[in-house]
């Protein structure tokens, strides 16, 4: 009996050691810090250990082979800014259209905001987003959209409630109905904009929010522990962030209450060809000011 207990104990130690190894290995693989200590719009860093409100920019990048062969960098075709406050139990989530006309900080040009990531990676993209919204961006996370399908399959699919009724790539989505989506269906859902009923760019942006929120819910669920190894491998391949392993653990421990009320918003405006002959989405100043206020108020600023 003692021999059996000893064997079980050794196996448990090996399992715990492997778990720790995977966490640290993935933590190192995904960690890509910004070239600064904190946002210039703050007087100091946010203490995640104390659960202080913070912001995080989410970038969904398309790094497909065709673009890489042409010498192009990764463009952030999905851009979101989240203001997270666990005391208020509120998260404000704002989507920024990828064609938004913006000053590209560090380059001295006015272009589509998704060009910033291609020119200067997360560092330039974060500074450009800060300049546009006048809100401190404390942290960022980048998801490779080319790998999102595999990640969703690895967690066993996600649940979403469709924001519209439309068909895409052989899938039917019905407004108001909850559906369980595998990776392929999720990508059809998240990419659709031109199909009848899909709602154009604004409909797609809302679906991007729904899919990422559904994935976040699945990653933090107990069921994800059954496929921990696969999930860690997928995150290591498809995610980059300035957050360290310890900071990620602090967020997991201290910020779960902020998921109780997730308010989703979109920057409003109008699109058209501008004086340089290029199509841009031009933000409505009133909409931008209102969103800036909501993001800042949720931070307590």
């Amino acid at each position: 009996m003692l021999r059996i207990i000893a064997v079980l104990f050794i196996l448990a130690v090996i399992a715990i050691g492997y778990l720790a190894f995977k966490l640290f290995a993935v933590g190192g693989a995904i960690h890509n810090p910004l070239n600064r200590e904190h946002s210039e719009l703050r007087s100091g860093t946010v203490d995640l250990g104390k659960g202080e409100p913070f912001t995080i920019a989410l970038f969904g990048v398309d790094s497909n082979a065709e673009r890489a062969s042409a010498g192009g960098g990764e463009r952030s075709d999905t851009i979101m800014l989240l203001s997270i406050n666990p005391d208020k139990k509120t998260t404000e989530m704002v989507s920024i259209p990828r064609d938004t006309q913006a000053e590209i900080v560090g380059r001295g040009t006015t272009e589509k905001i998704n060009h910033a990531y291609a020119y200067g990676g997360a560092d330039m993209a974060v500074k450009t987003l800060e300049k546009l919204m006048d809100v401190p961006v404390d942290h960022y996370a980048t998801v490779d959209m080319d790998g999102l399908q595999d990640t969703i399959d690895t967690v066993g699919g996600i649940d979403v409630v469709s924001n519209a009724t439309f068909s895409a790539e052989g899938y039917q989505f019905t407004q108001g109905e909850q559906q369980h989506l595998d990776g392929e269906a999720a990508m059809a859902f998240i990419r659709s904009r031109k199909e009848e009923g899909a709602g154009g760019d604004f409909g797609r942006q809302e679906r991007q929010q729904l899919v990422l929120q559904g994935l976040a819910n699945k990653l933090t669920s107990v069921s994800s522990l059954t496929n921990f190894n696969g999930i860690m491998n997928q995150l290591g391949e498809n995610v980059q962030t300035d957050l360290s392993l310890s900071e990620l653990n602090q967020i997991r421990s201290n910020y779960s209450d902020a998921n109780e009320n997730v308010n989703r918003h979109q920057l409003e405006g109008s699109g058209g060809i501008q004086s340089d002959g290029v199509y841009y989405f031009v933000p409505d100043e009133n909409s931008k000011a209102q969103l800036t206020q909501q993001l800042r108020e949720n931070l307590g600023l």
Side-chain angles (χ1 to χ4, degrees), residues 7 17 26 71 90 118 201 216 248 263 272 286 292 298:
V7 171
V26 170
T90 301
D201 282 331
L248 289 168
N263 301 317
N286 290 330
T292 295
N298 200 49

Side-chain angles (χ1 to χ4, degrees), residues 149 166-173 182-196 198 204:
Q149 178 174 333
F166 63 97
S167 298
E169 299 179 26
Y171 295 95
Q172 175 66 39
F173 305 102
D182 63 11
E184 184 178 87
M187 298 314 294
F189 183 71
I190 203 174
R191 287 173 171 159
S192 301
R193 65 185 179 97
K194 294 183 178 180
E195 290 78 5
E196 183 178 355
R204 178 175 62 178

Side-chain angles (χ1 to χ4, degrees), residues 96-107:
I96 310 296
R98 61 183 180 178
D99 293 332
T100 298
Q101 189 177 51
E103 178 186 335
I104 308 300
V105 176
R107 191 171 176 87

Side-chain angles (χ1 to χ4, degrees), residues 153-176:
D153 282 333
T154 299
V155 301
I158 60 173
D159 295 321
V160 301
V161 176
S162 181
N163 65 333
T165 298
F166 63 97
S167 298
E169 299 179 26
Y171 295 95
Q172 175 66 39
F173 305 102
T174 303
Q175 185 175 11

Side-chain angles (χ1 to χ4, degrees), residues 20-31 228-229 231-237 239-240 245 248:
F21 168 77
K22 289 296 293 185
L23 283 172
F24 279 101
V26 170
I30 69 176
H31 190 224
F228 178 83
N229 186 55
I231 291 172
M232 288 297 103
N233 289 337
Q234 285 295 325
L235 293 179
E237 292 175 2
V239 175
Q240 291 285 302
L245 180 63
L248 289 168

Side-chain angles (χ1 to χ4, degrees), residues 136-157:
V137 178
D138 301 308
H139 297 287
Y140 84 93
T142 298
V143 179
D144 187 338
M145 301 302 282
D146 293 339
L148 186 60
Q149 178 174 333
D150 291 337
T151 302
I152 291 172
D153 282 333
T154 299
V155 301

